[in-house]
Amino acid sequence: MKNDLFLLLVISALIYLPLVAKLGYAYDDWYLMYAAKVKGASVFQTIFSVDRPLRTFIMIPAYWLFGESTLWYHIASYFFRLLGAVSFLWTLRLVWNKKEQKLSTFLMALFFLIYPGFLSQPNGIDYLSHQVALALAPLSIGLSLQSLLVESK
């Protein structure tokens, strides 16, 4: 498992990090950062109140931590992509844990890591909450499966 984690780390770093410092604002990032600069981080409550109110739990702390620096949003997105892939790999191996299934589960986690995340890489600010959700969903499923597999409750 350690080798697989290291391989996921290396492959994802080679894919996502070489140009991360050159990524800037894209699509909806502009108006989100402008609104937060003008009215403060609490503006995210207003922006997302109608259809995506839970995004404020990600965007307000992220803005407090990262401000308007796109680099930190992109690094955070990368971290959550990697966490999601590791969680997904762990979950898969809870279900399919035979030795001959190691390659299959690794490839599934690798594809989860690479696609479709690479397509939304330039949207590091607006899609940060999506990356957090994609990291926490397989973690939640894995923790649920692990709780079923524990003998002493």
Side-chain angles (χ1 to χ4, degrees):
M1 182 76 166
K2 289 180 186 177
N3 292 338
D4 293 335
L5 296 178
F6 180 73
L7 202 52
L8 284 176
L9 175 69
V10 169
I11 292 170
S12 65
L14 289 172
I15 290 171
Y16 288 112
L17 295 180
L19 299 176
V20 74
K22 296 184 183 208
L23 295 171
Y25 295 146
Y27 307 108
D28 290 344
D29 294 347
W30 288 99
Y31 90 86
L32 291 173
M33 291 296 101
Y34 176 76
K37 182 176 179 82
V38 171
K39 296 194 174 192
S42 63
V43 75
F44 294 126
Q45 291 174 330
T46 305
I47 292 172
F48 299 126
S49 65
V50 175
D51 58 348
R52 302 164 284 177
L54 296 178
R55 285 186 69 183
T56 60
F57 293 112
I58 303 299
M59 292 305 297
I60 289 175
Y63 189 77
W64 288 338
L65 287 171
F66 309 140
E68 299 152 25
S69 171
T70 58
L71 176 63
W72 293 109
Y73 288 96
H74 290 294
I75 289 173
S77 287
Y78 165 73
F79 169 77
F80 284 109
R81 281 187 183 103
L82 183 59
L83 177 64
V86 169
S87 299
F88 188 58
L89 179 62
W90 174 59
T91 302
L92 290 171
R93 294 217 172 139
L94 287 173
V95 177
W96 295 294
N97 62 359
K98 293 182 182 170
K99 192 172 187 171
E100 60 270 6
Q101 296 166 326
K102 298 282 186 199
L103 179 61
S104 300
T105 55
F106 174 78
L107 290 175
M108 286 184 237
L110 182 63
F111 291 140
F112 182 81
L113 176 65
I114 296 171
Y115 184 83
F118 189 79
L119 297 175
S120 63
Q121 183 182 10
N123 301 330
I125 297 169
D126 191 36
Y127 280 77
L128 179 61
S129 57
H130 295 71
Q131 298 304 333
V132 171
L134 280 172
L136 296 181
L139 180 62
S140 174
I141 294 168
L143 290 170
S144 298
L145 288 172
Q146 184 65 44
S147 73
L148 295 173
L149 297 172
V150 173
E151 290 182 25
S152 64
K153 301 200 186 245

